[in-house]
Amino acid sequence: MFLKYVLSVFNSINSMLTSCLGCCSQGRYLLTAGLQGCRCRLSCHLKRHYSFLPDDVKSLRAVVNPDISKIRNIGIMAHIDAGKTTTTERMLYYSGYTRALGDVDDGDTVTDFMAQERERGITIQSAAVTFDWKSHRINLIDTPGHVDFTLEVERALRVLDGAVAVFDASAGVEAQTLTVWRQAEKHHIPCVCFLNKMDKPAANFSIESIKQKLKANPVLLQIPVGSGKNFTGVVDLLTNQKLIWKLKSMRDDGRVFEIKALDQSDDPELLQVVGEARTALIEQVADLDDEFAELLLTNFSDNFDAVPSIKLQEAIRRVTLARKGVPVLCGSSLRNKGVQPLLDAITAYLPSPNERHHDLVERMSRLLVPFADQHVEIPSMTAGNIALTVGLKQTVTGDTIISSKAAAAAAARRAQNDSGAEKKGGEHANIILSGVEVPDPVFFCTIEPPSMAKQADLENALNCLQREDPSLKVRVDPDSGQTILCGMGELHIEIIHDRIRREYGIETHLGPLQVAYRETILNEVSTTDTLDRTVGERRHVVTVELAVRPVDITSVGGSCEITFTEKLEGQLLPEVKEAVENGVHSSYLQGPLLGYPVQGISTLIQDVTIEPGTSAAMVSACVSRCMLKALRLAGGQVLEPVMSLEVTVGEEHLSSVLGDLAQRRGTVRDIQSRHDNKVLLATVPLAEMMGYSTILRTVTSGNATFSLELDAYEAMNPQEQNTLLKRMAGLL
């Protein structure tokens, strides 16, 4: 692999030198990434031709372990169909990683390598690629935009240093944009925004939706030149230069573009817009960065516009790393315009690993550098890089990996010394990297192998898939013995079913898809229970008194609380307290009505009396039995997941969509205008959304898009609840 890599280096350099000589013969200036250009006295303007390689062949060490300050670990995130994968594909092409432009519709992109991704034209699984841009190493992860695969974004952002948020310029901030932005905020990820699809007729270069919906502070770095079909390039507000892509045909790859300083011969309206935008940019950055403000007032008080672009760039970098502002650029990835400046922005404004304070470094037995579905084995990896490892049979997503207990203890001591924390009694800090918050599944169905002879193979396949995808849950029904598959949506379960068939060669059968309801209680109840049991010659006697009450029943992931009276807190031994908590938690797994998990319940343990010789298991059993009794006495209520629905549709089909929504128990919250379309915002029970994509495609003749996000759990009305109870009891 490395031999092929080195050969490609020489081939690329040769082709660049040939292009350079040809270009200079015409009196033009050609610049490559890290390649010193040829200055020509006949040059009338500057043309930039980016490529992957510097002017010398890198050593193997530089290829594998570049300087940490030159590394950028980034993710591409967005709403579905905003152009993430297309943008990634252009980055790979302009960096020299690929020799041809892939297309999502053709199913030949690098990062969408799964068969299901290429068939559906969507990203399902995060994919990592590594490439060089100028003197920097970029480790990029392309993430899904579909709500069913939100966990893929979560676990990618957890290990990344920066992110590029891609927007459809004709739609602005969409439903899943909000979700992934919140995830980036949670992990304190600095971001760069890219307004894509500027070539669309309805494209609108507006940052208002970023301000209003994301509550972010956009820092505008570019002004578009033209719009819609007439979009030809951008003006860089830092340098006052115009970057123009003069594409002669649809096959033009956009690698070559012109850079020209603005002058009085340009459109007066454009000059005015650029002047106002640059002034606003300088003032905005000065408000956000004290060092830059002091520079302006000290050295450029007479003319702020005279501040050097490099000083402005450094200030924008500080603002971005401090997450006080978000740089905004624009372009059209599909039309091959604006991607190279985006790559420049990634290296200029997003942090290197040593600026994100990842202190723990570990050694692995075998390491691989990821290139989507291909890997290159390497001998070692320094801090700040992203790599793959193999052979970890018991490891799952979210685990912290260490080389040894001694190394973990040493890392803990370093962390303790760095933080200045003092532990009593020689206690050491725990070194555990933050895990992944896995959302609860909302759909489930039974899954059966073609024969009992394949049952073991199916169990192995499901175990492997669960380790890879923590949002997939598998359990066995205690009554029927059937295997239950739980996932984040229809598409999620469909993809898992297809992967079992393709990757493991098992033709499984799925039962009807069902909604994962929740249960809660209606009233506050106190109760007591005593367990008196003799096992062999040992007698176990325990009495438990507790109270339950409903709290916060509707929120997504509404927690169940466990508290002890002040008297018990001081009396119970740790092992007894743990046994009590285990008993309460086990009762939360199956509610009294239909056996769904319960949520929004507060449990107060009032008294626990234990005879000598009683085991912890018997304590847990007594608590669990007492909890079940209390839940039944408190009265049960079924909670159904309610989704936030956003439908973008032409006005001519709006009435059909509204009529269909009314039949689904939907509630319309708002109807907004977006260019020539209407955006319908509503809430609707998840149970009513089965097969909605097919119905929507039918009633709108395929001219509508929609997105779903779990909004809350709401109490089901009595009529619907009775119907559900009868259906689950087999009476309907």
Side-chain angles (χ1 to χ4, degrees), residues 64-66 361-362 367-370 378-387:
V64 175
N65 293 323
V361 182
E362 297 147 347
L367 291 170
L368 307 169
V369 174
I378 55 175
S380 63
M381 181 67 72
T382 56
N385 285 280
I386 290 179

Side-chain angles (χ1 to χ4, degrees), residues 253-510:
D253 62 10
R255 187 186 294 272
V256 178
F257 60 93
E258 294 181 0
I259 296 182
K260 180 183 177 184
L262 287 176
D263 55 38
Q264 296 305 314
S265 64
D266 286 299
D267 179 16
E269 184 177 349
L270 177 64
L271 291 175
Q272 181 179 352
V273 171
V274 169
E276 293 174 354
R278 191 171 197 272
T279 300
L281 170 64
I282 293 173
E283 292 176 354
Q284 181 185 14
V285 175
D287 288 339
L288 298 173
D289 185 75
D290 292 340
E291 183 179 336
F292 184 68
E294 184 178 353
L295 174 70
L296 287 181
L297 295 175
T298 303
N299 300 334
F300 303 97
S301 57
D302 295 335
N303 182 11
F304 286 174
D305 196 52
V307 64
S309 60
I310 186 64
K311 294 296 183 181
L312 181 56
Q313 183 184 81
E314 290 171 354
I316 294 172
R317 177 176 175 79
R318 290 192 296 270
V319 167
T320 306
L321 298 189
R323 298 175 58 249
K324 295 179 180 179
V326 183
V328 178
L329 300 93
C330 65
S332 172
S333 297
L334 183 63
R335 303 305 176 202
N336 308 321
K337 301 174 183 178
V339 177
Q340 295 97 325
L342 175 60
L343 283 165
D344 289 338
I346 289 170
T347 60
Y349 304 121
L350 293 182
S352 61
N354 59 344
E355 292 173 304
R356 289 276 294 160
H357 309 297
H358 295 305
D359 299 320
L360 192 61
V361 182
E362 297 147 347
R363 273 187 296 174
M364 306 302 301
S365 58
R366 187 176 176 213
L367 291 170
L368 307 169
V369 174
F371 295 96
D373 58 341
Q374 299 180 23
H375 315 117
V376 176
E377 186 168 355
I378 55 175
S380 63
M381 181 67 72
T382 56
N385 285 280
I386 290 179
L388 307 178
T389 186
V390 295
L392 302 174
K393 296 182 179 180
Q394 303 301 321
T395 303
V396 297
T397 296
D399 285 353
T400 299
I401 301 171
I402 60 174
S403 57
S404 67
K405 291 183 179 179
R413 287 192 295 271
R414 289 200 304 272
Q416 184 175 329
N417 293 334
D418 292 343
S419 63
E422 294 184 1
K423 295 286 183 176
K424 295 182 179 179
E427 181 184 349
H428 290 301
N430 288 324
I431 292 294
I432 299 178
L433 301 177
S434 59
V436 177
E437 293 184 10
V438 181
D440 293 328
V442 294
F443 278 114
F444 70 93
C445 65
T446 60
I447 182 169
E448 298 176 352
S451 65
M452 289 306 298
K454 289 287 186 178
Q455 180 66 35
D457 293 337
L458 175 59
E459 291 175 358
N460 176 63
L462 292 174
N463 287 335
C464 292
L465 290 171
Q466 281 185 95
R467 289 176 56 209
E468 179 182 326
D469 180 4
S471 65
L472 172 67
K473 304 292 185 184
V474 179
R475 60 182 174 86
V476 177
D477 187 278
D479 298 322
S480 65
Q482 290 180 299
T483 302
I484 309 296
L485 200 63
C486 309
M488 299 307 300
E490 290 183 85
L491 181 60
H492 186 204
I493 289 181
E494 180 185 339
I495 294 298
I496 293 296
H497 183 220
D498 191 46
R499 290 188 64 186
I500 292 173
R501 177 179 63 85
R502 295 190 192 219
E503 298 176 22
Y504 297 92
I506 307 173
E507 295 287 346
T508 56
H509 171 71
L510 294 183

Side-chain angles (χ1 to χ4, degrees), residues 15 122 180 248 259 316 430 553 621 638 647 651 655 675 706:
S15 65
I122 63 172
V180 298
K248 299 179 181 178
I259 296 182
I316 294 172
N430 288 324
I553 64 171
V638 176
V647 182
E651 189 168 4
S655 59
H675 309 299
F706 78 98

Side-chain angles (χ1 to χ4, degrees), residues 138-173:
I138 297 179
N139 299 312
L140 180 147
I141 296 182
D142 183 22
T143 65
H146 197 284
V147 66
D148 282 16
F149 309 107
T150 299
L151 183 68
E152 289 288 322
V153 184
E154 174 77 15
R155 63 180 183 176
L157 289 174
R158 174 179 165 269
V159 298
L160 293 174
D161 303 317
V164 176
V166 180
F167 300 79
D168 182 337
S170 66
V173 175

Side-chain angles (χ1 to χ4, degrees), residues 53-269:
L53 300 162
D55 53 349
D56 60 341
V57 180
K58 292 182 178 177
S59 67
L60 187 59
R61 175 176 293 275
V63 170
V64 175
N65 293 323
D67 183 87
I68 192 170
S69 66
K70 299 295 185 180
I71 297 174
R72 299 291 182 269
N73 294 322
I74 66 162
I76 304 289
M77 62 181 193
H79 185 85
I80 190 170
D81 288 336
K84 298 178 305 301
T85 301
T86 301
T87 302
T88 301
E89 194 68 24
R90 269 53 184 176
M91 289 180 177
L92 297 177
Y93 179 72
Y94 296 137
S95 69
Y97 175 78
T98 57
R99 298 296 183 104
L101 286 170
D103 191 281
V104 173
D105 295 332
D106 294 338
D108 58 357
T109 59
V110 173
T111 52
D112 284 351
F113 55 83
M114 290 175 60
Q116 296 89 342
E117 293 175 316
R118 294 187 168 181
E119 291 170 357
R120 291 169 171 79
I122 63 172
T123 301
I124 294 171
Q125 180 176 279
S126 297
V129 288
T130 298
F131 59 91
D132 285 356
W133 180 250
K134 299 189 176 178
S135 60
H136 290 77
R137 164 67 48 83
I138 297 179
N139 299 312
L140 180 147
I141 296 182
D142 183 22
T143 65
H146 197 284
V147 66
D148 282 16
F149 309 107
T150 299
L151 183 68
E152 289 288 322
V153 184
E154 174 77 15
R155 63 180 183 176
L157 289 174
R158 174 179 165 269
V159 298
L160 293 174
D161 303 317
V164 176
V166 180
F167 300 79
D168 182 337
S170 66
V173 175
E174 300 175 90
Q176 190 65 5
T177 316
L178 280 166
T179 301
V180 298
W181 191 268
R182 290 192 204 108
Q183 291 173 307
E185 287 283 306
K186 181 176 72 176
H187 293 286
H188 309 292
I189 303 292
C191 295
V192 167
C193 294
F194 181 61
L195 302 185
N196 192 26
K197 303 189 177 184
M198 287 297 297
D199 61 300
K200 294 178 69 172
N204 180 21
F205 186 71
S206 173
I207 56 177
E208 288 306 311
S209 64
I210 298 176
K211 291 180 180 178
Q212 296 173 5
K213 295 185 178 181
L214 301 183
K215 309 302 180 186
N217 190 6
V219 179
L220 199 60
L221 303 187
Q222 296 176 339
I223 292 293
V225 178
S227 62
K229 292 182 178 179
N230 296 322
F231 173 70
T232 58
V234 297
V235 174
D236 186 334
L237 294 180
L238 277 74
T239 61
N240 267 335
Q241 291 179 321
K242 186 164 60 174
L243 287 67
I244 300 296
W245 282 261
K246 294 182 178 180
L247 308 185
K248 299 179 181 178
S249 69
M250 294 294 291
R251 294 184 178 181
D252 200 324
D253 62 10
R255 187 186 294 272
V256 178
F257 60 93
E258 294 181 0
I259 296 182
K260 180 183 177 184
L262 287 176
D263 55 38
Q264 296 305 314
S265 64
D266 286 299
D267 179 16
E269 184 177 349

